[in-house]
Each structure stands twice: as C-alpha cells, then as structure tokens.
Amino acid sequence: MGNAQFKGLTIGIPKEIMKGEKRVSATPETVEKMVENGAVVLVEKGAGLNSLMEDVDYEKAGAKIYDDVQEIFNQADIILKVKEPIFNSNLGKHEVDMLRNGQILITFLHPAAPKNHEMIKSLAKSGATSLTLDGIPRISRAQNMDALTSMSTVAGYKSVLLAANKLSKFVPMTGTAVGMIQPAKVVVIGTGVAGLQALSTAKRLGAVVTAIDIRPEALEHAKSLGGKVFDTGVPAEVAIGEGGYAKSLPQEWIIKEREAIRDLIVDADIVIATALVPGKLAPILITEEMVKAMRPGSVIMDVSIDQGGNCELSESGVIAEHHGVTVDGTNNIPGMVASSSTWMFSKNIYNLVAAFVKDGQFIVDREDEIIASTLVTMDGELLHSGAREAMGL
C-alpha cells in the first residue's frame, strides 16, 4: 500500500494533440503509483495508444478514462503534459483557455522560443501556475526529474539514424571486392547529453566522429567515448555558465568559433547540431556560406531546432535541400521513439510531482532551486527570466 501523500489531489492526463507527438505524460505504472498514494487520476481516452498503452491498462492501474478532455481540465488540480499548450482544432479552442486560475500545469513549455511568446503571455493571464521541464537544474537531487536529459538521450540517438538514412553512402568503412569504401565523417556540435548519445551511436555505426564543444569537460566526455575532439579556442571563463551548461557567447566569440570550425563542417558528411544555451535561443554556428561549401549529399541534423536551431538555414519542422545539402529541422525527435521516451518521461514528471506534493497540495516554494528555475507563470505574472529577456520585458 502507498501513503496518503496525494490524497485529495486530482491529476489530469490529456492526450497530446501536437502533430506527430506520440508520447504521453503518464504510463499505467506511474498512474498506479499516484493512485496508491491517494490521487484521483483522470486519463483522456486513447492518450497512451501511440505509445502502445491501452485504456484498459490505465483503468487496471486505477485511472478514470474520460472522453471529454475539457472535463479533465475542469476537475484536475494538476495537468501533466508532454508538450506546450496549442490550439485544439477538434474543440475549436486553445488548451491555455481550458486552464483556470490557480491550476497547475507541468510540461515542456520552451518559454524563451519566439513561437511560444503569445501562448506564454496568455498562459500568464489565465492565472495558472506553470512549470517548464526544460528548466530543471542539473543538480543531484533533480536528476531523476530531468526530462530534458532523458529526451536528449533519445534525440541524440535517433538523429544519427535519421541522418544515416538520408546519406547516399555507407556510414561504416566497408570492404568490397572492388576496393575499400571509406567511412562517413560525422561532426557533432555540442557534446552535452544529446551530443554524447549521437557520438556513441555514430561510432557504433562505424563513422569517424569529431566532437566540437566550447566546454573542456564536455570534450573530455566525448574523448572518453572514442570521439576525436576539436578545440574551438573559446576560453573556459567565457564558455561555461551555471551548472556546467554552455553560456551565451558574445558575438565576437561566436564569429571566432565559426571561423575555427568552418573547415571541419565543410568536410563533414553528417553534422549533428545540438548546441544549446539553457532558456535562451540556440547559437547560430553553421552559416549559409558553410553549407554552400559542403559536399552535395551531406546532411545537417539541427537537433537544437526547438530553441531556434544552430544552422542559419534550418527551419522548424522542415526538411529541405539547400545548395545540395539536406538541412533537417525535424521538431520533436524524441516523439518518434515513443515507447522508450514515454517510459523515461513519465517517471521524470512523476518524480517532480512527488517531490513537491505534501498532504495533497503541490507546494510552490519559490525559494527552492528546482521550483525557482522551472516556474514560468503564477498569479497572473510571467516570472521566467529567459522568457522575459527574449520578449524584451
């Protein structure tokens, strides 16, 4: 038997409506934990189907299945989602307009991304308290809540497979009766979690892999996985921000970094671009001039597209050919590997909720480091500093 930590709390699990989104914010396994600990859990009909989980399994776990998602929004104290609220064309209304004052929303909001600014402003007006999972700090007690890391693991892996599929040649060195075919050259920009996973996946496929990062420690990790590493020459004090994340570089250093990496990019068959700065727009590191100089048939996977992208030519949700090079701005790569990503995501979001629920109440303690860095809106105000900065507030 569980404890009564969640007693009195109603938790809502809507079906994700974003195009191509196959994940869901709770599995029968996490629902069972919430119910055992006293929660009432409402799941929208079919919410788990794309992650290969049936309504009957949610019911066995103790959830109530609802046809009408508005009813879930009406009753729930906390709404758990995977992606930010968007317009629900079936109902003819925006998911933000289904929220109410004081209700809690936990999801990936990407509040600094320009495409989300209007939504974030109306989210603040709704009076709902919203927390964004891309704000989870890299501290040890938040590790098991860090959905960004989980999803980056999936994105890094899948991005290499997508790129290999588009490439018109073998990835590994291949011996044939008519001679040796040389391995593909893969360059990974940004060796955080996604980049390291991309690096090891490309190595497993037999590519020659070079890693680029402005943080010495990140390059050490890349080296330990068997990647060649490239030093951009950006000094550590300029490069490293809070929690070991990359800092936003001044423009002169961005230009120097581009010059330093140019030849490496131009010579690559595949570039996996994952460089991000937390809560800010991704830096543009691959210019149109570099793309023009690349070999036709090369592929750029811009994994950082959700925060604007690392390539000047990439467009959100668009796969296009520029100067003979495929530039892939596919959004939401983790959504393509639904079973593994949902399994991790649902545990991350459950651990976050469980850490802050006391006696059936979700405690928004703004002194707590995790809450402080994930809180986006509360009491009608926009509090997220990255979003405020991006909006010029």
Side-chain angles (χ1 to χ4, degrees), residues 38 145 208 218 223 248 251 336 355:
M145 316 167 186
V208 173
K223 209 185 272 180
S248 227
Q251 194 56 30
M336 298 175 155

Side-chain angles (χ1 to χ4, degrees), residues 2-294:
N3 56 35
Q5 179 192 1
F6 287 36
K7 195 168 170 50
L9 210 53
T10 301
I11 296 173
I13 312 294
K15 185 176 167 68
E16 295 296 322
I17 55 173
M18 191 174 273
K19 191 172 172 282
E21 180 52 76
K22 295 180 172 180
R23 293 171 293 178
V24 61
S25 60
T27 58
E29 185 187 350
T30 59
V31 166
E32 192 172 345
K33 280 193 202 168
M34 295 188 259
V35 171
E36 270 182 3
N37 291 334
V40 172
V41 181
L42 316 176
V43 175
E44 186 180 351
K45 188 174 188 228
L49 285 179
N50 289 327
S51 291
L52 311 179
M53 287 173 285
E54 309 278 342
D55 290 344
V56 37
D57 296 322
Y58 284 102
E59 282 179 308
K60 278 184 197 152
K64 295 178 179 164
I65 304 289
Y66 276 73
D67 260 344
D68 179 4
V69 70
Q70 181 65 67
E71 206 37 55
I72 293 177
F73 276 82
N74 291 350
Q75 292 185 38
D77 304 300
I78 302 178
I79 295 282
L80 303 181
K81 274 179 56 51
V82 179
K83 295 301 275 183
E84 68 267 25
I86 59 171
F87 187 77
N88 185 328
S89 45
N90 288 342
L91 295 180
K93 59 177 145 181
H94 202 288
E95 286 178 311
V96 167
D97 298 329
M98 297 160 77
L99 293 161
R100 63 176 184 276
N101 189 30
Q103 195 169 22
I104 291 169
L105 169 69
I106 305 175
T107 185
F108 274 118
L109 286 165
H110 303 293
K115 68 178 167 68
N116 290 333
H117 290 178
E118 289 312 308
M119 179 271 293
I120 294 291
K121 285 176 190 164
S122 52
L123 188 55
K125 283 197 192 100
S126 75
T129 298
S130 64
L131 301 165
T132 187
L133 294 163
D134 48 312
I136 300 272
R138 288 264 165 95
I139 54 175
S140 53
R141 74 184 171 94
Q143 244 177 337
N144 69 357
M145 316 167 186
D146 189 351
L148 195 59
T149 290
S150 299
M151 297 307 103
S152 296
T153 301
V154 184
Y157 162 78
K158 188 67 172 175
S159 65
V160 174
L161 301 186
L162 293 170
N165 260 338
K166 294 187 182 79
L167 203 62
S168 64
K169 56 194 201 185
F170 282 123
V171 175
M173 182 186 275
T174 308
T176 76
V178 288
M180 283 303 263
I181 296 177
Q182 292 306 307
K185 294 174 185 167
V186 175
V187 172
V188 177
I189 306 180
T191 53
V193 177
L196 290 174
Q197 193 64 40
L199 186 152
S200 50
T201 305
K203 287 285 294 176
R204 284 182 206 127
L205 288 178
V208 173
V209 191
T210 307
I212 297 172
D213 202 295
I214 56 176
R215 299 162 297 168
E217 196 184 336
L219 287 182
E220 282 305 312
H221 293 318
K223 209 185 272 180
S224 71
L225 289 174
K228 296 177 177 179
V229 298
F230 182 81
D231 183 6
T232 57
V234 178
E237 63 274 13
V238 179
I240 302 166
E242 221 171 297
Y245 281 110
K247 252 202 322 220
S248 227
L249 293 182
Q251 194 56 30
E252 77 239 42
W253 277 109
I254 293 242
I255 291 165
K256 282 180 183 163
E257 184 182 354
R258 284 181 197 152
E259 283 165 4
I261 68 176
R262 182 192 181 279
D263 292 350
L264 202 55
I265 299 296
V266 166
D267 192 39
D269 295 302
I270 292 174
V271 179
I272 307 285
T274 75
L276 290 176
V277 178
K280 296 200 166 63
L281 282 174
I284 298 280
L285 299 171
I286 306 167
T287 61
E288 179 165 12
E289 184 278 322
M290 291 182 202
V291 176
K292 263 186 187 161
M294 289 173 79

